[in-house]
């Protein structure tokens, strides 16, 4: 049995559908049409100069009567080129070997063969008149296309285009006339093409501003800083705290990184500007720098990175990863240089952007070692660097949360215990890495037992005299999962201290969930019961209020104990559970009732 032969078919393209796809999905804004026109003009000039190095290099844009005319002195096209290139979607004249028109594709900006279609986003019709520089005897040719997918091609007399090059005419589609207005065209041309290597003008107004600000010669470092600060303000709207030069010849990158003058969230989008061979590719290149470098905004020109098909972002490949690493290394070198030669400027920088440096240092021991004397941390001795704090204390204690730190900081400080607040972003990780970069340093997480061990014990006879009150207090707080202890500590103004740790809170949460669960889940949660120590309320025997409360008996002593417990929770800024809130309310009302009852009885 033989298989019948099949006849191959050619894909049919609905140009209207394709234009809709481009305008709503591939391109983020209609403004990209001008970038594609500039790109085609620049690539045509590049192609011509490869054969004729002295050929003119001009691009002129004229906006009038609701239309736009773009003229270039590039390589031009013959009639055969027009049929092969302009009428074939996806074929680019920039690809090596495409009808002999282009050399290596790396010399050109566009590589996908869909650029001219972007013009249909704003234009109902496109007309191209071109004359080839490679075939000077060939007559000028006209290609006219509409957004319904139809086009015509015809040859023209020599007078239609006497010199080699190409002219593109756009007629605005309804509702898109504003995109072809002269003022808008000039703004877009300067945004996209300010670093292009050729003479580009809109009417009589220059577009290109070469050399780039970072490549210009200045009278001195001060003048350079002022000029770059002005460039930053023009592009990004802020005056930089400092400027980092990004000169990476091996990676094909030139540019600058501007340090933000105020703190920003690490999650905030960076918005770096990337020019590809002078043409602005994107002003939202979030992937250009490592995540930790969120405190700078970059503007670079590169000839090594690849664009995506929309030419609005960078293609994620090994080259981009290598450039990202190299740029991160340059910013790291700048930080190291500040630490070595300009400590005042480094301190000014860290006062704003210490979070970014901490993010870097948690993965880079050399950076942590360099920044150890500079990075600020909240401690019981004030705001200090880890280096200074470690010099003061034989053991660097730390807490993992801000709540834990606030709970113990006043008491620990009074007892001479040095504590670092590790509750802020990256701080715990850096404290735990301290022994790696500072050999011999002891680091320990602070827990309730450590704090209690540093508090003075009460004379056994005095504690025995208060045994009845302590037993009643323990019985009152036992349903809340809290023990009661008696110690003597400073400051005297603190009547009670609430201490717990993560293990105790976890066990408390588990017990509460077990009480509220059905039989099945209660059994499962019960099997997870741990042996972690419970939270404790430490009463300060040196405080006069505690001595007066301990002399009470009956219900009033229990109410006073509940009030002390609630006040200790509030002082520690602990989140209140429903049971804690109910206790506070009950204790408050109980004390009010007791006070008003005594007044009614003349006491």
């Amino acid at each position: 049995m033989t298989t019948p032969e099949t006849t191959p078919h050619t894909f049919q393209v609905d140009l209207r559908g394709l234009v809709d796809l481009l305008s709503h999905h591939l391109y983020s804004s209609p403004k990209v049409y001008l970038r594609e026109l500039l790109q085609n003009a620049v690539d045509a000039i590049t192609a011509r100069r490869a054969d004729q190095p002295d050929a003119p290099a001009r691009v002129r844009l004229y906006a009038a009567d609701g239309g736009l005319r773009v003229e270039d002195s590039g390589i031009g096209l013959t009639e055969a080129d027009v049929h092969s290139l302009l009428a074939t979607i996806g074929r680019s004249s920039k690809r090596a070997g495409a009808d002999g028109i282009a050399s290596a594709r790396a010399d050109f900006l566009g590589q996908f063969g869909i650029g001219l279609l972007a013009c249909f986003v704003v234009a109902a019709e496109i007309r191209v008149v071109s004359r080839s520089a490679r075939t000077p005897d060939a007559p000028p040719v006209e290609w006219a296309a509409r957004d319904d997918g139809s086009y015509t091609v015809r040859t023209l007399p020599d007078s239609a285009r006497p010199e080699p090059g190409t002219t593109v005419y756009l007629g605005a589609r309804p509702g898109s006339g504003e995109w072809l207005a002269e003022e808008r065209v000039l703004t877009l041309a300067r945004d996209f093409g300010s670093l292009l290597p050729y003479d580009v003008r809109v009417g009589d107004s220059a577009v290109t501003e070469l050399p780039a600000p970072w490549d210009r010669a200045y009278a001195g470092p001060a003048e350079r800083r002022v000029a770059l600060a002005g460039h930053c303000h023009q592009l990004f709207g802020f005056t930089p705290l400092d400027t980092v030069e990004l000169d990476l010849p091996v990676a094909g990158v030139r540019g600058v990184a501007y340090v933000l003058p105020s703190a920003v969230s690490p999650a905030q989008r960076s918005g770096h500007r990337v020019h590809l061979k002078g043409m602005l590719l994107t002003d939202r290149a979030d992937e250009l720098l490592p995540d930790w470098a969120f405190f700078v905004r970059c503007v670079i020109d590169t000839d090594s990175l690849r664009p995506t098909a929309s030419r609005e972002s960078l293609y994620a490949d090994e080259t981009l990863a290598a450039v990202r690493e190299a740029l991160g290394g340059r910013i790291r070198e700048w930080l190291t240089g500040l630490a070595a030669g300009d400590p005042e400027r480094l301190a000014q920088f860290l006062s704003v952007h210490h979070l970014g440096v901490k993010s870097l240092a948690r993965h880079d021991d050399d950076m942590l070692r360099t920044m150890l004397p500079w990075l600020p941390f909240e401690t019981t001795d004030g705001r200090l660097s880890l280096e200074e704090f470690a010099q003061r204390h034989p053991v660097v204690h730390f807490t993992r949360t801000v709540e834990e730190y606030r709970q113990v900081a006043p008491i620990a400080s009074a007892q001479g215990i040095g504590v670092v607040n590790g509750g802020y972003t990256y701080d715990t990780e850096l404290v735990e890495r301290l022994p790696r970069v500072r050999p011999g340093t002891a680091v320990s997480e602070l827990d309730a037992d450590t704090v209690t061990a540093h508090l003075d014990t009460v004379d056994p006879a005095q504690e025995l005299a208060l045994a009845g009150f302590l037993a009643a207090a323990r019985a009152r707080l036992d349903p809340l999962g809290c023990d009661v202890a008696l110690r003597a500590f400073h400051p005297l103004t603190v009547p009670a201290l609430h201490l717990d740790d993560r293990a105790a809170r976890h066990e408390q949460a588990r017990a509460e969930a077990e009480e509220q669960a059905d039989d099945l889940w209660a059994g499962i949660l019960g099997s997870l019961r741990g042996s972690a120590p419970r939270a404790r309320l430490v009463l300060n025997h040196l405080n006069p209020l505690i001595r007066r409360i301990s002399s009470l008996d009956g219900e009033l002593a229990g109410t006073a104990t509940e009030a002390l417990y609630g006040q200790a929770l509030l002082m520690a800024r602990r989140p209140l559970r429903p049971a804690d809130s109910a206790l506070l309310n009950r204790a408050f009302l109980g004390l009010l009732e007791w006070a008003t009852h005594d007044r009614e009885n003349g006491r």
Side-chain angles (χ1 to χ4, degrees):
M1 181 176 179
T2 60
T3 303
E5 295 184 2
T6 58
T7 303
H9 299 277
T10 302
F11 282 105
Q12 301 298 312
V13 177
D14 180 357
L15 190 57
R16 287 187 186 273
L18 184 58
V19 169
D20 180 73
L21 177 66
L22 293 176
S23 59
H24 292 97
H25 300 283
L26 185 62
Y27 296 125
S28 63
S29 167
K31 69 180 182 180
V32 298
Y33 87 92
L34 193 67
R35 183 194 61 200
E36 301 299 335
L37 288 174
L38 288 176
Q39 168 192 300
N40 288 342
V42 169
D43 284 342
I45 293 173
T46 300
R48 183 175 180 184
R49 283 203 155 188
D51 294 338
Q52 305 171 19
D54 297 331
R58 298 186 306 270
V59 181
R60 298 291 184 265
L61 298 91
Y62 303 96
D65 301 325
L68 179 65
R69 184 173 87 254
V70 182
E71 300 177 353
D72 69 65
S73 58
I75 192 68
L77 302 170
T78 64
E79 182 177 357
D81 298 332
V82 165
H83 283 289
S84 176
L85 301 174
L86 296 186
T88 305
I89 296 171
R91 177 176 296 177
S92 173
S93 63
K94 290 85 175 177
R95 293 178 179 162
D99 298 327
I101 290 180
S103 56
R105 61 186 288 182
D107 295 334
F108 299 93
L109 299 173
Q111 300 170 7
F112 298 99
I114 59 176
L116 195 59
L117 287 179
C119 296
F120 280 121
V121 174
V122 298
E125 57 183 8
I126 303 173
R127 189 163 66 93
V128 177
V129 176
S130 186
R131 183 164 193 157
S132 174
R134 278 211 177 94
T135 313
D137 295 337
V141 61
E142 178 192 74
W143 178 83
R146 298 188 59 82
D147 60 1
D148 61 4
S150 62
Y151 74 92
T152 60
V153 178
R154 65 187 178 115
T155 58
L156 302 175
D158 289 346
S159 58
R161 179 82 200 192
E163 300 294 329
T166 299
T167 302
V168 179
Y169 301 86
L170 300 185
R173 67 169 52 251
S176 298
E178 62 174 305
W179 292 104
L180 303 184
E182 183 174 14
E183 185 176 351
R184 176 65 68 89
V185 170
L186 178 59
T187 299
L188 294 178
R190 284 177 172 168
D191 192 40
F192 285 121
S194 62
L195 301 184
L196 290 174
Y198 305 132
D199 178 19
V200 182
R201 295 178 180 273
V202 176
D204 296 328
S205 302
V207 169
T208 53
E209 299 177 2
L210 295 178
W214 52 83
D215 286 331
R216 296 172 191 168
Y218 297 96
E223 290 78 4
R224 181 178 182 83
R225 281 197 298 271
V226 170
L228 290 178
H231 178 246
C232 174
H233 195 276
Q234 178 185 355
L235 285 184
F236 299 114
F238 65 85
T239 300
L241 194 65
D242 205 350
T243 300
V244 185
E245 302 282 347
L246 302 177
D247 186 7
L248 304 170
V250 176
V253 172
R254 285 283 295 144
V256 288
Y258 295 117
V259 181
L260 291 164
S262 56
V264 295
S265 167
Q268 182 174 324
R269 292 291 184 178
S270 299
H272 306 301
R273 291 175 65 91
V274 176
H275 294 257
L276 180 60
K277 303 180 183 72
M279 180 74 74
L280 178 66
L281 177 69
T282 179
D283 57 3
R284 299 187 302 273
D286 305 325
E287 67 276 33
L288 185 64
L289 290 181
D291 291 339
W292 56 261
F294 55 83
F295 50 83
V296 298
R297 296 291 179 268
C298 291
V299 52
I300 67 167
D301 188 23
T302 177
D303 58 14
S304 62
L305 300 178
R306 294 173 55 195
T308 58
S310 69
R311 292 182 47 75
E312 295 190 296
S313 59
L314 297 170
Y315 187 78
D317 57 9
E318 294 180 357
T319 302
L320 177 59
V323 169
R324 182 189 303 116
E325 181 65 26
L327 292 176
R330 183 64 193 88
I331 296 174
R332 187 185 294 108
E333 291 171 6
W334 168 76
L335 286 170
T336 304
L338 287 185
D342 199 340
E344 291 185 3
R345 195 146 54 114
L346 177 63
Q348 181 185 12
F349 166 77
L350 289 178
S351 68
V352 179
H353 296 299
H354 58 273
L355 196 61
V357 180
K358 286 181 177 180
S359 176
L360 169 61
R362 66 193 176 120
H363 298 301
D364 188 328
D365 285 348
D366 290 337
M367 180 56 63
L368 177 58
R369 189 177 295 107
T370 299
M371 293 295 157
L372 207 56
W374 306 102
L375 287 175
F377 288 77
E378 182 180 359
T379 76
T380 48
D381 291 352
R383 198 161 180 81
L384 299 175
S385 69
L386 284 181
E387 176 65 32
E388 185 175 357
F389 188 82
Q391 291 174 358
R392 296 184 181 186
H393 299 278
V395 178
V396 177
H397 292 285
F398 70 95
T399 63
R400 292 187 181 272
T401 68
V402 174
E403 289 77 13
E404 289 174 354
Y405 176 81
R406 290 171 176 168
Q407 179 181 349
V408 303
I411 308 303
S413 179
Q415 310 308 313
I417 308 173
V419 184
V420 177
N421 183 357
Y424 296 112
T425 307
Y426 310 131
D427 284 7
T428 290
E429 297 175 73
L430 295 178
V431 173
E432 290 179 325
R433 292 174 69 92
L434 190 56
R436 297 178 54 171
V437 299
R438 196 178 188 275
T441 303
V443 172
S444 175
E445 182 177 356
L446 188 69
D447 55 23
D449 289 336
T450 302
V451 177
T452 305
H454 280 78
L455 304 180
D456 295 334
T457 58
V458 178
D459 180 84
Q462 293 177 320
E463 186 168 4
L464 182 61
L466 299 177
F469 166 74
L470 293 175
R474 292 185 180 110
R476 183 61 69 98
L477 297 184
D478 182 69
L480 298 172
C482 183
D483 291 330
V484 177
L486 184 66
R487 293 290 187 274
F489 56 86
H490 293 272
L492 301 180
T493 55
V494 178
L497 175 66
H498 181 271
L499 294 177
D500 65 0
D501 52 30
R502 286 177 300 153
R505 290 194 294 275
H506 177 76
E507 174 59 22
Q508 192 175 60
R510 186 211 59 78
E512 291 177 357
E514 181 180 356
E515 291 179 0
Q516 300 174 6
D518 56 28
D519 293 342
L520 173 61
W521 282 109
I524 295 175
L525 291 170
S527 66
L528 299 176
R529 183 180 295 111
S531 59
R534 303 204 305 171
R536 69 195 69 173
L537 181 68
V538 183
L539 304 178
N540 187 0
H541 189 254
L542 300 180
N543 183 271
L545 178 62
I546 294 299
R547 295 190 178 190
R548 289 196 295 270
I549 290 176
S550 62
S551 64
L552 300 174
D553 54 14
E555 183 65 23
L556 184 57
T559 301
T561 300
E562 290 180 339
L564 287 172
Y565 173 82
Q567 189 265 351
L569 283 180
L570 294 176
M571 290 297 294
R573 302 183 188 182
R574 303 290 301 168
L576 298 180
R577 300 168 297 166
D580 298 329
S581 298
L583 174 144
L584 274 172
N585 185 60
R586 183 171 63 248
F588 177 71
L589 294 177
L591 292 175
L592 282 179
E593 182 179 353
W594 174 79
T596 55
H597 180 269
D598 279 359
R599 183 176 294 275
E600 290 175 355
N601 287 275
R603 298 181 185 178

